Amino acid sequence: MKVPRNVSPAAAARRSLLLDITIGVFIGLFAIILAAGIGVVGFFGLICALILIPWYLIEGGMRAKRRQPRR
């Protein structure tokens, strides 16, 4: 089925609007899916960071304490 060549300006505008809306919906869905994936990874990364940072600080403090000369 061919698209008619003699199209009124109103029909051409409607087709253009339909195409713009369709592309916009797909871009929006892609952004939501991408952001959800980053959010999940970021959430678990934050939990790991909250566990690992104090661990490294405690280990560093213990090492520094052991290296100090005793009197």
Side-chain angles (χ1 to χ4, degrees):
M1 182 173 169
K2 287 188 173 183
V3 179
R5 292 183 188 247
N6 298 333
V7 178
S8 69
R14 285 193 300 272
R15 284 185 187 161
S16 178
L17 180 63
L18 178 64
L19 181 65
D20 289 345
I21 289 173
T22 305
I23 292 172
V25 167
F26 283 125
I27 290 173
L29 287 174
F30 178 73
I32 289 171
I33 291 169
L34 183 68
I38 291 172
V40 170
V41 171
F43 175 74
F44 287 112
L46 178 63
I47 290 174
C48 290
L50 289 175
I51 292 170
L52 291 175
I53 289 173
W55 183 342
Y56 287 140
L57 290 175
I58 291 169
E59 279 189 7
M62 290 172 60
R63 264 193 227 123
K65 184 94 172 151
R66 273 191 263 153
R67 289 183 184 162
Q68 288 180 351
R70 294 189 181 164
R71 295 181 186 188

